[in-house]
Amino acid sequence: MHPDSPSSRLPAPGRRAVLGAAAAASALAALPGTASAAPATRKTPVRRKPRALPGGGDLGPNVLVFDPATPNIQGRLDEIFRQQESAQFGTGRYQLLFKPGSYHGLNAQIGFYTSISGLGLSPDDTTINGDITVDAGWFNGNATQNFWRSAENLAVVPVNGTNRWAVSQAAPFRRMHIRGNLNLAPTGYGWSSGGYIADSRIDGQVQPYSQQQWYTRDSAIGGWLNGVWNMVFSGVEGAPAQGFPNPPYTTLATTPVSREKPFLYLSGSEYRVFLPEKRTNARGVTWGNGTPRGTSLPLSRFYVAKPGVSAATLNQALAEGLHLLLTPGIYHLDQPVRVDRASTVVLGLGYATLIPDNGVTALKVADVDGVRLAGFLVDAGPVNSATLLEIGPSGAWRDHSANPTTVQDVFVRIGGAGPGKATTSMVVNSRHTIVDHTWVWRADHGDGVGWETNRADYGVVVNGHDVLATGLFVEHFNKYDVQWFGERGRTIFYQNEKAYDAPNQAAIQNGSIKGYAAYRVGDGVTTHEGWGLGSYCYYNVDPGIVQHHGFAAPNRPGVRFHDLLVVSLGGNGQYERVINDTGSPTSGTSTVPSTVVSYP
């Protein structure tokens, strides 16, 4: 977020009271036996198995399903937007679903924790003749806090030829077809700090204007207007040519490995979840030539979870072989959700939010093939968790190259909605994992924020080999934001801000080094590569703090970086170097990046 946004921000409502969650206890039946010729005997109590959980079912009250004949769609959209427009740390969660067909005269304004999606197999099955709008009127034209909202699987014919999607972090734009231009800035241009596009076609021009950084993957665009600091493209037809640092474009012809996010759709009157297939050296959209490639599952194969359900029940469903569909709302957990079966899908709607209440890990994945985690938020609880999300156990070693685990639009937050703590937010131990768009955020504003109040030392730790991150946003951790110890790791696009609230230089001193790197590759790693990585500092408590470098890595030929930048926002803190001891220092109060085009 740009420092010109107020440091105190808007007051946030307190966290909702804990939702009730009770698991049905197994009944015990003591069955005494008697006989006329023998003394009475007592049988051992029999523990009955829990009743099998049903698959499928309704999607709950916070999933709104529209068809072209639904009356007053605009009125319902407006009602939800009024509630969610400024509810940055509120408890409301909504999923808006549009059945295939054409809709006319709509302007769907999308606020916090609101997802809008089409229910066709292709975006072109569901056409909005109108707009899907994100603007920043609630924050005086500043879009740097337009988080936690999404648009997926729709075609849009904008009223005036241009659709506005002025977002920052955690606001994915997936499988969209814009039959016109796409403006990524707020009215009046203001500030904006996004963002992410994947598997989308924009027939006209993408217009970032004030966007500080952006990542676009496996898409097709009619043109790209400008860049501020860091614009990254992989597998994008029509992308601008490589130009970093001026213009600040990092362009890869293809994405090494990708597999699109699972999505809900209608087959006749039946809900199903589509599972796109893996692509290598991908370029362009998956849906351009009719039916996308992949498989699908009926909703009956999913446990449709509602807020208030216990972790024990979620684990029972998983143990019974069901996948999980998390409907919108807040889920309090007193034990980890354990994904132990290969190819399990955990799909959230409307920013379903998992909160570990007693210091547990929210979700753990076994060392198995093909798990798909998508579309939910993990919010740290008030008792410190050692980790919040674990992909594979410590020591995971199996080869998952044929069917990797994917983590997509899974966001992690520590503080902001109330005090939260976690030593490490996300740990990736499984080989070949694809982390495709995440924002892992130690809050810099909201409720329960302070250097120790929402303490979180480490953002993302990667121990597994052959892990790929496409669209990695990690911000504000007390120590290292990203540490990468696995071999052959790759990151395409990284956005980072160091913690604003460090009280003084001593608080971030890392042995003899001034500050902890935003992205550190372990000393023993021999092969690693990154493209389009940026780190910013804004030390607003002590603007005199000096950060030695944004990036740290072993200096060997197999560890390579392309297009790195560091920037001091308004002179609030400075970097001495970009990576290791290489690169120019940031200078004075001018918010001008220092760059390194190639390292070593």
Side-chain angles (χ1 to χ4, degrees):
M1 290 68 70
H2 195 281
D4 287 7
S5 54
S7 59
S8 60
R9 318 299 166 109
L10 298 181
R15 190 192 301 272
R16 179 190 290 174
V18 174
L19 295 172
S26 299
L28 298 178
L31 304 173
T34 59
S36 59
T41 59
R42 179 176 297 163
K43 294 186 178 180
T44 303
V46 176
R47 182 178 296 274
R48 295 176 182 167
K49 291 182 179 179
R51 180 179 297 174
L53 295 168
D58 74 271
L59 300 179
N62 286 7
V63 177
L64 284 76
V65 183
F66 303 104
D67 64 44
T70 302
N72 195 25
I73 297 175
Q74 187 65 55
R76 194 69 179 101
L77 296 176
D78 291 346
E79 178 186 351
I80 292 170
F81 180 66
R82 282 192 295 271
Q83 177 182 320
Q84 299 299 115
E85 180 184 11
S86 59
Q88 182 173 180
F89 298 110
T91 56
R93 305 284 188 274
Y94 290 95
Q95 176 75 52
L96 311 175
L97 297 176
F98 285 77
K99 293 182 180 181
S102 293
Y103 299 78
H104 298 273
L106 295 182
N107 181 18
Q109 298 185 83
I110 306 301
F112 286 100
Y113 312 108
T114 305
S115 297
I116 183 169
S117 308
L119 285 170
L121 265 180
S122 165
D124 288 329
D125 293 339
T126 311
T127 300
I128 305 293
N129 292 280
D131 295 279
I132 296 176
T133 301
V134 176
D135 209 339
W138 74 280
F139 202 43
N140 300 315
N142 182 338
T144 59
Q145 293 182 32
N146 279 352
F147 313 139
W148 304 305
R149 64 200 74 198
S150 67
E152 298 185 41
N153 204 30
L154 291 160
V156 181
V157 183
V159 170
N160 66 359
T162 300
N163 191 83
R164 185 183 303 279
W165 184 256
V167 299
S168 289
Q169 290 79 12
F173 200 76
R174 290 183 181 268
R175 293 178 57 80
M176 295 290 289
H177 185 185
I178 303 300
R179 298 178 190 166
N181 302 319
L182 183 63
N183 182 342
L184 303 178
T187 301
Y189 303 110
W191 303 113
S192 41
S193 180
Y196 177 90
I197 293 171
D199 200 23
S200 294
R201 182 181 299 278
I202 291 85
D203 293 346
Q205 185 183 59
V206 181
Q207 302 163 344
Y209 294 113
S210 61
Q211 283 290 353
Q212 296 164 356
Q213 67 278 316
W214 199 277
Y215 175 51
T216 307
R217 178 182 63 72
D218 298 351
S219 294
I221 61 176
W224 190 273
L225 178 63
N226 72 295
V228 177
W229 294 334
N230 190 31
M231 303 290 168
V232 180
F233 309 83
S234 68
V236 178
E237 298 170 356
Q242 170 73 30
F244 188 90
N246 186 25
Y249 299 146
T250 298
T251 303
L252 287 73
T254 61
T255 304
V257 187
S258 63
R259 189 175 68 192
E260 298 305 328
K261 179 184 172 185
F263 62 91
L264 194 68
Y265 75 102
L266 276 174
S267 177
S269 60
E270 178 192 22
Y271 284 110
R272 299 181 68 88
V273 173
F274 193 82
L275 308 177
E277 70 174 21
K278 186 187 77 170
R279 298 199 291 171
T280 56
N281 298 318
R283 182 174 173 85
V285 300
T286 63
W287 46 269
N289 297 313
T291 303
R293 298 175 65 89
T295 58
S296 69
L297 295 169
L299 195 62
S300 60
R301 295 280 305 279
F302 285 78
Y303 177 69
V304 180
K306 307 296 199 308
V309 71
S310 68
T313 299
L314 297 175
N315 283 325
Q316 180 189 340
L318 291 167
E320 290 176 4
L322 294 171
H323 306 272
L324 294 183
L325 186 72
L326 304 172
T327 64
I330 295 174
Y331 297 75
H332 285 269
L333 307 174
D334 61 359
Q335 61 179 275
V337 175
R338 297 184 180 275
V339 180
D340 296 328
R341 180 171 47 87
S343 299
T344 297
V345 179
V346 180
L347 176 61
L349 301 179
Y351 286 82
T353 301
L354 307 180
I355 301 177
D357 287 323
N358 54 354
V360 300
T361 299
L363 191 148
K364 295 186 176 185
V365 178
D367 192 15
V368 295
D369 272 357
V371 171
R372 304 184 195 226
L373 308 180
F376 57 88
L377 172 64
V378 178
D379 205 356
V383 178
N384 185 76
S385 293
T387 59
L388 292 172
L389 179 64
E390 292 182 14
I391 311 302
S394 178
W397 58 270
R398 291 184 172 87
D399 186 318
H400 303 298
S401 56
N403 189 12
T405 286
T406 46
V407 183
Q408 299 177 286
D409 302 346
V410 174
F411 307 116
V412 180
R413 178 173 70 194
I414 301 93
K421 292 186 178 183
T423 303
T424 303
S425 294
M426 182 189 299
V427 180
V428 181
N429 293 316
S430 286
R431 293 183 62 192
H432 301 102
T433 299
I434 301 172
V435 180
D436 176 45
H437 189 229
T438 188
W439 185 37
V440 182
W441 185 59
R442 175 181 167 265
D444 62 279
H445 63 274
D447 186 25
V449 171
W451 185 248
E452 297 295 342
T453 306
N454 63 328
R455 180 88 193 186
D457 283 350
Y458 309 109
V460 175
V461 175
V462 179
N463 297 313
H465 299 327
D466 308 289
V467 171
L468 171 65
T470 51
L472 187 60
F473 299 73
V474 186
E475 296 188 300
H476 304 313
F477 286 85
N478 295 74
K479 293 185 178 180
Y480 290 112
D481 298 277
V482 170
Q483 294 189 91
W484 206 299
F485 300 111
E487 287 287 355
R488 298 175 298 279
R490 292 174 291 184
T491 296
I492 304 174
F493 181 90
Y494 176 64
Q495 187 263 331
N496 166 264
E497 287 179 347
K498 295 304 298 174
Y500 291 174
D501 56 343
N504 49 49
Q505 187 75 46
I508 63 161
Q509 191 67 21
N510 181 16
S512 61
I513 300 172
K514 299 172 185 175
Y516 292 82
Y519 187 109
R520 175 199 174 205
V521 178
D523 294 343
V525 173
T526 60
T527 306
H528 187 92
E529 195 159 10
W531 296 262
L533 282 65
S535 176
Y536 323 148
C537 73
Y538 178 61
Y539 289 112
N540 62 359
V541 175
D542 181 358
I545 289 176
V546 174
Q547 176 86 19
H548 178 61
H549 49 216
F551 303 92
N555 187 4
R556 52 175 60 104
V559 178
R560 297 177 293 170
F561 289 92
H562 315 272
D563 301 355
L564 299 171
L565 69 99
V566 297
V567 61
S568 167
L569 304 182
N572 291 273
Q574 300 291 342
Y575 293 89
E576 293 179 326
R577 295 288 183 263
V578 179
I579 179 168
N580 295 343
D581 296 320
T582 298
S584 300
T586 54
S587 56
T589 59
S590 60
T591 305
V592 176
S594 293
T595 61
V596 168
V597 173
S598 182
Y599 183 87

